[in-house]
Amino acid sequence: MTTFVLIPGAACDSWHWHLLAAELRARGRDVVSVDLPCDDDAAGLDEYADAVVAAVAGRGQGQGRGRGRLMLVAHSFAGFTAPLVCARVPVDLLVLLAAMVPLPGEAPVDWWAATRHPDEQIRRAGRAAQHAGADTAGEPVPESAVPGSAADPFFQDLPPELAAEAAVRWRRQSETPASRPWPMAAWPAVATRFLLCRQDRLFPAPFLRTVVTERLGAAPDEMEGGHFPMLSRPAELADRLERYSRTAAG
């Protein structure tokens, strides 16, 4: 049986996966939804990978392929973490969901400029929203970072109550992991799929098509939705992941 390991992006935790996790479990699937030490200034990408490995081991996985197949699903900033996990435990498939794709030696803070992200306003809004749980009292929040606003880059396709709760659930995100170079010398030798969302405002589809093609050497798969399809379209996303699992097993 495949175990779906759900790795959150910056300032997020297992709650942001809860609708997808419930959908997969209702189908009889095994799910590990990971919480990362994102508010710990001593924790970098290696410690994030340690947290994923520990969560997998806690579910009886990670000791060998005979104990189950692993599919990592890495959202957004977790694109920097998931490949490190692939170097530590046997992984059958890595799925990058609206994710950042790093190059060797590239620090996440430099990724935006290196990939030629097209919209500085969206980048500023994203940083403000992701640090909503940090010590930023008194700092103005741009209109584009307000959940439910017309320019919300994260939750624009969620019902208003769910969008508001998702924003409240932002955790404090330490800058430590973003400031350190990605430590891998090359992309891991693991089957990798990339799934982008066509209405994603943080990572627009044309931008991600170029990034994925240049950095992974393959065209991404695509679905409808914004940056958080696990909240806006959990059933459709579960269908996609199950198809990936069957393909990998075949």
Side-chain angles (χ1 to χ4, degrees):
M1 175 182 289
T2 297
T3 295
F4 297 85
V5 183
L6 310 179
I7 310 174
C12 294
D13 60 18
S14 55
W15 181 89
H16 292 87
W17 291 105
H18 76 284
L19 295 180
L20 175 65
E23 180 70 30
L24 289 169
R25 290 182 177 122
R27 303 179 185 199
R29 308 307 181 193
D30 189 27
V31 177
V32 175
S33 193
V34 180
D35 287 316
L36 300 175
C38 68
D39 56 356
D40 183 356
D41 289 328
L45 293 173
D46 282 326
E47 287 73 26
Y48 284 24
D50 289 342
V52 178
V53 172
V56 170
R59 292 293 294 269
Q61 293 282 353
Q63 302 301 316
R65 293 181 184 272
R67 304 187 69 176
R69 304 172 63 86
L70 286 183
M71 178 194 293
L72 304 187
V73 186
H75 180 240
S76 199
F77 183 44
F80 274 83
T81 298
L84 304 182
V85 179
C86 295
R88 302 182 188 194
V89 297
V91 172
D92 293 278
L93 182 64
L94 169 57
V95 178
L96 299 172
L97 176 63
M100 303 168 80
V101 181
L103 292 178
E106 182 177 68
V109 71
D110 298 325
W111 181 89
W112 301 84
T115 56
R116 305 179 299 280
H117 189 285
D119 194 327
E120 175 59 28
Q121 183 177 358
I122 288 293
R123 289 157 59 178
R124 290 198 304 269
R127 286 193 293 268
Q130 289 184 341
H131 286 79
D135 298 326
T136 55
E139 293 186 10
V141 177
E143 188 264 345
S144 56
V146 177
S149 69
D152 176 11
F154 292 103
F155 310 125
Q156 83 273 10
D157 57 342
L158 300 186
E161 291 184 1
L162 183 58
E165 183 173 5
V168 168
R169 294 277 185 163
W170 286 127
R171 297 174 60 192
R172 176 182 175 273
Q173 175 61 57
S174 169
E175 296 180 3
T176 299
S179 65
R180 298 176 179 175
W182 191 58
M184 298 194 72
W187 196 260
V190 172
T192 303
R193 303 292 293 264
F194 194 105
L195 181 58
L196 66 77
C197 301
R198 295 191 184 98
Q199 288 76 47
D200 191 338
R201 292 177 180 169
L202 184 68
F203 298 151
F207 162 72
L208 275 186
R209 290 184 191 114
T210 298
V211 170
V212 174
T213 300
E214 290 180 350
R215 297 192 166 203
L216 293 179
D221 298 325
E222 303 188 13
M223 66 178 290
E224 301 301 309
H227 192 63
F228 279 80
M230 66 280 274
L231 292 173
S232 64
R233 299 170 180 267
E236 179 181 347
L237 181 54
D239 288 342
R240 294 269 188 161
L241 296 178
E242 288 201 300
R243 286 200 294 273
Y244 288 159
S245 177
R246 290 193 295 270
T247 299

